[in-house]
Amino acid sequence: MGVHASIGVLADTASALQNFVTVFVSIYILFILAYVLLSWIQLPYSTVAATLQRFLDEVCRPYLGLFRGRIPTIGPLDLSPIVAVVVLLVAARVVNALIGALL
Protein backbone atom coordinates (compact mmCIF):
# COMPACT_ATOMS: atom_id res chain seq x y z
CA MET A 1 0.00 0.00 0.00
CA GLY A 2 1.59 3.22 -1.15
CA VAL A 3 1.60 6.71 0.28
CA HIS A 4 -1.06 7.82 -2.20
CA ALA A 5 -3.38 5.01 -1.13
CA SER A 6 -2.93 5.92 2.55
CA ILE A 7 -3.72 9.57 1.84
CA GLY A 8 -6.81 8.48 -0.10
CA VAL A 9 -8.00 6.33 2.79
CA LEU A 10 -7.47 9.20 5.27
CA ALA A 11 -9.30 11.63 3.00
CA ASP A 12 -12.17 9.18 2.62
CA THR A 13 -12.28 8.66 6.40
CA ALA A 14 -12.31 12.41 7.02
CA SER A 15 -15.09 12.90 4.50
CA ALA A 16 -17.14 10.09 6.03
CA LEU A 17 -16.69 11.52 9.55
CA GLN A 18 -17.64 15.02 8.38
CA ASN A 19 -20.74 13.62 6.66
CA PHE A 20 -21.66 11.74 9.84
CA VAL A 21 -21.35 14.89 11.97
CA THR A 22 -23.42 16.89 9.47
CA VAL A 23 -26.19 14.28 9.28
CA PHE A 24 -26.22 13.76 13.06
CA VAL A 25 -26.55 17.49 13.74
CA SER A 26 -29.25 17.85 11.07
CA ILE A 27 -31.32 15.04 12.57
CA TYR A 28 -30.87 16.42 16.08
CA ILE A 29 -32.04 19.85 14.91
CA LEU A 30 -35.14 18.20 13.43
CA PHE A 31 -35.75 16.52 16.79
CA ILE A 32 -35.46 19.90 18.55
CA LEU A 33 -37.87 21.46 16.04
CA ALA A 34 -40.38 18.62 16.54
CA TYR A 35 -39.99 18.92 20.33
CA VAL A 36 -40.71 22.66 20.22
CA LEU A 37 -43.69 22.27 17.88
CA LEU A 38 -45.19 19.47 19.97
CA SER A 39 -44.79 21.59 23.11
CA TRP A 40 -46.96 24.29 21.51
CA ILE A 41 -49.83 22.05 20.43
CA GLN A 42 -51.81 19.56 22.42
CA LEU A 43 -52.25 16.30 20.54
CA PRO A 44 -55.18 14.05 21.29
CA TYR A 45 -54.08 11.17 23.45
CA SER A 46 -52.80 8.17 21.58
CA THR A 47 -50.05 5.74 22.44
CA VAL A 48 -48.07 6.71 19.35
CA ALA A 49 -48.21 10.45 20.16
CA ALA A 50 -47.36 9.81 23.81
CA THR A 51 -44.42 7.61 22.84
CA LEU A 52 -43.17 10.21 20.37
CA GLN A 53 -43.44 13.01 22.93
CA ARG A 54 -41.65 10.90 25.55
CA PHE A 55 -38.86 10.05 23.09
CA LEU A 56 -38.37 13.68 22.06
CA ASP A 57 -38.45 14.77 25.70
CA GLU A 58 -35.75 12.26 26.65
CA VAL A 59 -33.58 13.17 23.66
CA CYS A 60 -33.93 16.97 23.62
CA ARG A 61 -34.50 18.02 27.21
CA PRO A 62 -30.94 17.35 28.49
CA TYR A 63 -29.35 19.48 25.75
CA LEU A 64 -31.96 22.24 25.91
CA GLY A 65 -31.66 22.23 29.70
CA LEU A 66 -28.13 23.58 29.33
CA PHE A 67 -29.59 26.81 27.93
CA ARG A 68 -32.85 27.13 29.84
CA GLY A 69 -32.65 29.60 32.70
CA ARG A 70 -29.48 31.16 31.27
CA ILE A 71 -31.18 32.69 28.24
CA PRO A 72 -33.80 35.30 29.11
CA THR A 73 -37.31 34.80 27.77
CA ILE A 74 -39.26 37.39 25.84
CA GLY A 75 -42.68 37.19 27.44
CA PRO A 76 -43.93 33.64 26.95
CA LEU A 77 -41.37 32.98 24.17
CA ASP A 78 -38.43 30.80 25.20
CA LEU A 79 -35.35 31.61 23.10
CA SER A 80 -33.23 28.75 24.42
CA PRO A 81 -34.03 26.34 21.53
CA ILE A 82 -32.90 28.97 19.03
CA VAL A 83 -29.63 29.52 20.87
CA ALA A 84 -29.19 25.75 21.27
CA VAL A 85 -29.57 25.20 17.51
CA VAL A 86 -27.10 28.00 16.71
CA VAL A 87 -24.56 26.55 19.18
CA LEU A 88 -25.07 23.11 17.67
CA LEU A 89 -24.47 24.43 14.13
CA VAL A 90 -21.33 26.30 15.20
CA ALA A 91 -20.03 23.23 17.05
CA ALA A 92 -20.64 21.07 13.97
CA ARG A 93 -18.65 23.48 11.80
CA VAL A 94 -15.79 23.54 14.30
CA VAL A 95 -15.74 19.74 14.56
CA ASN A 96 -15.82 19.37 10.78
CA ALA A 97 -12.95 21.87 10.44
CA LEU A 98 -10.94 19.98 13.08
CA ILE A 99 -11.57 16.68 11.30
CA GLY A 100 -10.44 18.22 8.02
CA ALA A 101 -7.32 19.67 9.63
CA LEU A 102 -6.35 16.51 11.52
CA LEU A 103 -6.98 13.93 8.83
Side-chain angles (χ1 to χ4, degrees):
M1 194 167 181
V3 173
H4 296 294
S6 297
I7 292 172
V9 169
L10 282 177
D12 188 41
T13 302
S15 176
L17 280 173
Q18 287 171 333
N19 286 339
F20 173 77
V21 169
T22 301
V23 168
F24 180 81
V25 167
S26 299
I27 291 172
Y28 199 75
I29 289 172
L30 287 175
F31 283 168
I32 291 173
L33 179 64
Y35 175 77
V36 169
L37 289 175
L38 287 177
S39 71
W40 287 347
I41 58 174
Q42 188 67 27
L43 294 176
Y45 181 77
S46 73
T47 57
V48 174
T51 303
L52 178 65
Q53 284 180 327
R54 228 180 359 261
F55 169 76
L56 289 173
D57 188 53
E58 290 176 6
V59 170
C60 297
R61 184 180 293 261
Y63 178 65
L64 292 176
L66 297 172
F67 301 96
R68 286 215 171 109
R70 292 178 177 82
I71 307 298
T73 60
I74 298 177
L77 185 63
D78 184 15
L79 298 177
S80 61
I82 297 169
V83 174
V85 167
V86 169
V87 168
L88 199 58
L89 289 171
V90 169
R93 285 191 182 218
V94 168
V95 168
N96 280 338
L98 286 174
I99 290 171
L102 293 176
L103 295 180

